[in-house]
Amino acid sequence: AQTVTQSQPEMSVQEAETVTLSCTYDTSESDYYLFWYKQPPSRQMILVIRQEAYKQQNATENRFSVNFQKAAKSFSLKISDSQLGDAAMYFCAYLEYGNKLVFGAGTILRVKS
Amino acid sequence: NAGVTQTPKFQVLKTGQSMTLQCAQDMNHEYMSWYRQDPGMGLRLIHYSVGAGITDQGEVPNGYNVSRSTTEDFPLRLLSAAPSQTSVYFCASSYRGRNIQYFGAGTRLSVL
């Protein structure tokens, strides 16, 4: 079974600075999807960014970008120009066949003003 | 467009009670899933469905029952609640063959 590991239970960043959240995964598949979800205190799960494994180019969504290293099975999230509204729990997730998500344990991001 | 709607938002049960968590989506999605979220463990898949009349077990199915009689609804039943089922429950849906899942707002369940 696929596994997803987020090794940073908690991270802090100064407002306007850049922070990188780490994620590694284990799979024997060659074609798959990876996601980062944000969960603010409201509890709502918000899709931040997704990456298709067969695409070499790293995905970018405004201030959010990923560093996808397929051979190393690494999928880190970089948040640039951090804002107070970025404070949340962030989950890395792998999409299994059948549209089933496997989540990491999450990283709490705190943003300091 | 309501998206994925979960009810109730909060619930407190006593050990041994039964209840049903409701999930409905209005996007005509084929795939629907139930996850539970526990501290330090992320979200884990309980049950999922790839279409009306078809359900299957996920990673943590024990103590839960599901059925899918319509495309829109996917209720999760707790037959005899246990304190270990205290958690936050999320329902999600997606199109078949597509990869973005849409989540409901979650249900916080406490079993005393």
Side-chain angles (χ1 to χ4, degrees):
Chain A
Q2 283 77 9
T3 58
V4 177
T5 303
Q6 293 179 249
S7 59
Q8 307 153 316
E10 201 168 315
M11 293 283 285
S12 290
V13 64
Q14 198 70 33
E15 202 175 2
E17 297 294 310
T18 296
V19 65
T20 298
L21 308 184
S22 301
C23 174
T24 59
Y25 59 95
D26 186 26
T27 183
S28 57
E29 303 294 322
S30 59
D31 189 18
Y32 48 87
Y33 295 89
L34 295 162
F35 300 85
W36 280 97
Y37 278 91
K38 171 185 178 181
Q39 186 181 47
S42 68
R43 204 169 66 200
Q44 183 68 49
M45 295 291 286
I46 302 166
L47 177 65
V48 175
I49 201 164
R50 68 173 176 173
Q51 176 76 44
E52 298 170 58
Y54 66 88
K55 288 189 176 178
Q56 299 285 345
Q57 189 172 5
N58 289 325
T60 300
E61 289 288 343
N62 301 315
R63 297 182 296 107
F64 298 87
S65 61
V66 298
N67 183 4
F68 173 51
Q69 301 291 327
K70 191 173 183 179
K73 295 180 183 176
S74 171
F75 182 59
S76 60
L77 175 69
K78 185 172 82 171
I79 306 174
S80 305
D81 186 25
S82 296
Q83 301 174 0
L84 295 177
D86 295 333
M89 174 78 87
Y90 286 82
F91 291 102
C92 178
Y94 174 102
L95 187 71
E96 285 190 327
Y97 177 78
N99 276 15
K100 297 177 287 182
L101 285 168
V102 179
F103 286 87
T107 297
I108 298 172
L109 178 65
R110 304 191 193 281
V111 181
K112 296 180 282 190
S113 59
Chain B
N1 191 344
V4 180
T5 303
Q6 287 185 240
T7 55
K9 287 185 169 45
F10 301 94
Q11 183 70 48
V12 179
L13 292 178
K14 294 181 179 178
T15 297
Q17 286 185 318
S18 63
M19 81 158 294
T20 299
L21 306 185
Q22 301 291 345
C23 176
Q25 53 91 10
D26 60 0
M27 297 174 281
N28 203 31
H29 286 168
E30 296 93 343
Y31 284 54
M32 296 186 75
S33 308
W34 276 102
Y35 297 85
R36 60 177 287 173
Q37 181 181 6
D38 300 296
M41 302 187 74
L43 282 74
R44 293 178 294 167
L45 183 66
I46 305 172
H47 285 286
Y48 65 101
S49 169
V50 299
I54 305 169
T55 63
D56 205 347
Q57 296 181 350
E59 180 185 352
V60 288
N62 292 340
Y64 306 96
N65 200 0
V66 293
S67 61
R68 185 133 177 240
S69 56
T70 67
T71 299
E72 294 78 20
D73 301 298
F74 190 43
L76 179 71
R77 297 182 187 85
L78 283 70
L79 304 176
S80 178
S84 61
Q85 294 178 305
T86 293
S87 188
V88 178
Y89 292 85
F90 286 95
C91 179
S93 72
S94 65
Y95 285 115
R96 180 179 184 142
R98 302 196 187 186
N99 44 57
I100 295 176
Q101 295 206 18
Y102 297 84
F103 284 82
T107 296
R108 180 175 293 278
L109 176 68
S110 295
V111 183
L112 306 177

